[in-house]
Amino acid sequence: MRLYGFWRSTATWRVRIALAHKGLAYEYRPVHLRRDGGEQNRDEFLALNPMRQVPVLEFEHEGQRVRLTQSIAILELLEELYPSPPLLPASALGRARARELAELVVSGIQPLQNTAVQRWVREALGADEAAWARHWVEKGLGALERRAAESAGRFLVGDALSFADLCLVPQLYFARRFAVDLAPYPTLTRVEAACAALPAFQQAHALAQPDAEG
């Protein structure tokens, strides 16, 4: 199993947590998203992902080499192939809630803050990309806090880890990088602290990766 990613990529980070939680070994291939215009824009990476994004998970399945992109699709596959320990609740409603909260991050925040969008805001619009990112992150975290307050226990959905927690932790790291005040989100920061105590989250942390930069 091989994971192409970038140490600070929130999408890659989600997958690293899942792999660590499930005890799955993999080879890590760094793809620097900013150096020399972004290594994801090189021709050789186009063959891995036509969207020129990370992560990409490459693995053998039923005798064939498979490449899968998009973090949630990867998490879903890992959950089906390696269901223990689980990352989705046992109940149908619990699973739907975990996916809902995950999508608030994955669809509602992350696409508006990513590197390519920041670059476009700066270069094409001549606008402040940091202010842009903060606006959408704050809006999304506000919605996530309100929804999570209805379902959270130790974690975002009850007392067991789920996809939602894997999406939360990298997102809050990004928020701090852009000086977002996290005081209005007590549920989210409480859950983040519970996650931070777990070995899988420590192993997957951005600063623990071989391509991490100071």
Side-chain angles (χ1 to χ4, degrees):
M1 192 175 289
R2 179 178 296 153
L3 178 65
Y4 294 85
F6 181 57
W7 67 283
R8 209 168 57 192
S9 156
T10 58
T12 304
W13 194 335
R14 301 166 198 145
V15 175
R16 289 197 306 260
I17 300 169
L19 291 167
H21 179 69
K22 293 179 179 293
L24 299 173
Y26 62 95
E27 175 190 355
Y28 181 57
R29 291 284 184 89
V31 180
H32 202 292
L33 300 184
R34 293 186 177 272
R35 182 182 299 142
D36 299 327
E39 293 177 353
Q40 74 277 16
N41 293 315
R42 294 178 178 176
D43 289 341
E44 56 265 32
F45 193 78
L46 179 64
L48 299 176
N49 185 0
M51 281 293 288
R52 301 181 186 272
Q53 297 172 340
V54 293
V56 178
L57 187 68
E58 187 176 66
F59 55 97
E60 297 290 329
H61 182 65
E62 297 180 349
Q64 294 185 337
R65 180 172 297 244
V66 177
R67 295 188 184 104
L68 192 62
T69 69
Q70 302 301 318
S71 63
I72 293 298
I74 294 171
L75 295 187
E76 293 280 6
L77 178 73
L78 293 176
E79 187 69 4
E80 291 193 28
L81 294 180
Y82 308 98
S84 182
L87 280 171
L88 284 174
S91 72
L93 180 58
R95 292 192 298 274
R97 184 70 73 197
R99 290 179 171 116
E100 174 197 16
L101 298 182
E103 286 294 343
L104 281 174
V105 175
V106 173
S107 299
I109 305 176
Q110 194 267 330
L112 294 164
Q113 73 180 25
N114 68 26
T115 301
V117 170
Q118 289 183 48
R119 183 179 296 120
W120 188 80
V121 168
R122 181 179 67 252
E123 296 177 358
L125 300 182
D128 183 344
E129 73 269 27
W132 167 278
R134 280 193 298 272
H135 171 78
W136 294 110
V137 170
E138 289 169 354
K139 181 178 180 179
L141 291 182
L144 184 62
E145 171 70 23
R146 289 191 291 273
R147 297 300 287 157
E150 300 174 9
S151 62
R154 183 184 178 197
F155 300 107
L156 287 182
V157 183
D159 295 322
L161 282 176
S162 74
F163 289 1
D165 306 296
L166 275 59
C167 295
L168 171 69
V169 169
Q171 184 57 57
L172 293 187
Y173 181 90
F174 180 97
R176 288 188 180 92
R177 283 182 53 226
F178 282 77
V180 172
D181 179 11
L182 298 184
Y185 318 116
T187 306
L188 304 186
T189 53
R190 176 181 59 75
V191 170
E192 179 194 34
C195 292
L198 301 178
F201 284 81
Q202 296 165 6
Q203 180 181 334
H205 196 283
L207 296 177
Q209 304 316 302
D211 57 329
E213 301 170 1

